[in-house]
Amino acid sequence: MINLVLFGPPGAGKGTQSEKLIKKYGFVHISTGDLFRWHTKNDTPLGKRVKEIMNSGALVPDEITIAMLKEELDKNPQAKGFLFDGFPRTVPQAEALDKFMKDNGSAIHFVIALDVNEAELRTRIAKRRTVENRADDEEEKLNKRITEYFTKTIHVLPYYEKQNRLNTVHGIGDIEEIFSNICTILDKK
Ligand code: AMP
């Protein structure tokens, strides 16, 4: 069983690479962004709580996010391995994830960070805006999401680096080449 965290700022290509990794390795995909979007779309009590926060581009508070993640883990006791996409985004989330994995006799084996500079992120999301129509891709909200990444989420990197679990992959260029670089890391160990 292999568990992987795919890490990176909004627009880094986490969704695209996740799809390819799931196909190849059979991970259970846990995207907290997709889960929150599902809740808001279906107007669940959780969706009602997080809608405004998400639309502003801010991070959802840790206790809400961690509880939702735990529920999702508990739904998949037979998983061969998890791919976490968009989680953890804060150090307390990373600590909670380690604890959940440990409680199940498992661990996060790989953390792969997609490295993409801010100018490229903005270009990509501007393009995505014309296709996906995500409310939080609008300019002002995007600024907030990028600020949240560079002020809060970035601190997750040293957390994993200190434990020698961090692998950085250059995230600009050919999608297949980026995918192949990720696979090389996963297949090596
Ligand atoms: P994403 O699709 O991963 O960019 O997530 C969309 C939005 O969902 C984010 O801007 C946050 O408002 C919320 N969200 C997703 N994952 C998390 C997380 N791990 N912690 C806090 N908020 C999150």
Side-chain angles (χ1 to χ4, degrees):
M1 175 157 166
I2 286 179
N3 299 308
L4 161 71
V5 167
L6 193 58
F7 191 88
K14 298 188 296 293
T16 305
Q17 294 298 332
S18 288
E19 267 179 39
K20 299 176 76 62
L21 288 163
I22 292 156
K23 245 191 219 159
K24 177 162 180 185
Y25 296 97
F27 291 116
V28 170
H29 183 209
I30 299 193
S31 157
T32 43
D34 284 351
L35 289 168
F36 282 134
R37 274 185 289 279
W38 184 89
H39 280 282
T40 54
K41 201 172 142 222
N42 290 282
D43 212 21
T44 67
L46 174 59
K48 287 189 175 84
R49 278 179 84 187
V50 302
K51 191 171 181 175
E52 291 286 299
I53 304 171
M54 280 183 80
N55 281 346
S56 74
L59 291 183
V60 173
D62 281 341
E63 73 270 17
I64 299 178
T65 308
I66 290 169
M68 181 181 72
L69 180 100
K70 173 80 168 72
E71 208 175 281
E72 212 48 36
L73 288 177
D74 291 345
K75 275 189 208 158
N76 290 285
Q78 310 295 347
K80 274 205 321 210
F82 290 103
L83 190 166
F84 297 97
D85 164 1
F87 186 97
R89 264 166 145 114
T90 63
V91 172
Q93 290 182 16
E95 289 168 346
L97 183 59
D98 276 341
K99 183 181 179 304
F100 295 151
M101 292 286 115
K102 202 170 164 205
D103 290 348
N104 286 333
S106 192
I108 294 296
H109 303 95
F110 297 96
V111 179
I112 295 184
L114 292 171
D115 185 24
V116 177
N117 65 50
E118 195 174 325
E120 172 74 14
L121 298 174
R122 288 181 182 280
T123 308
R124 287 184 186 181
I125 293 182
K127 227 188 252 171
R128 182 162 83 186
R129 227 179 263 148
T130 63
V131 192
E132 284 184 28
N133 196 23
R134 267 176 59 167
D136 61 354
D137 276 348
E138 286 163 20
E139 190 74 30
E140 192 188 313
K141 296 165 186 176
L142 174 63
N143 285 337
K144 176 72 179 167
R145 287 165 69 212
I146 290 181
T147 306
E148 291 285 75
Y149 178 81
F150 286 106
T151 56
K152 295 180 186 163
T153 305
I154 200 108
H155 301 299
V156 175
L157 290 175
Y159 172 85
Y160 286 123
E161 199 168 25
K162 265 186 247 154
Q163 303 168 1
N164 279 327
R165 283 193 284 172
L166 182 65
N167 299 273
T168 303
V169 169
H170 184 59
I172 303 180
D174 181 49
I175 288 173
E176 291 304 328
E177 197 179 320
I178 297 167
F179 179 60
S180 149
N181 290 337
I182 296 174
C183 294
T184 304
I185 294 168
L186 298 184
D187 293 341
K188 214 167 36 193
K189 300 194 186 166

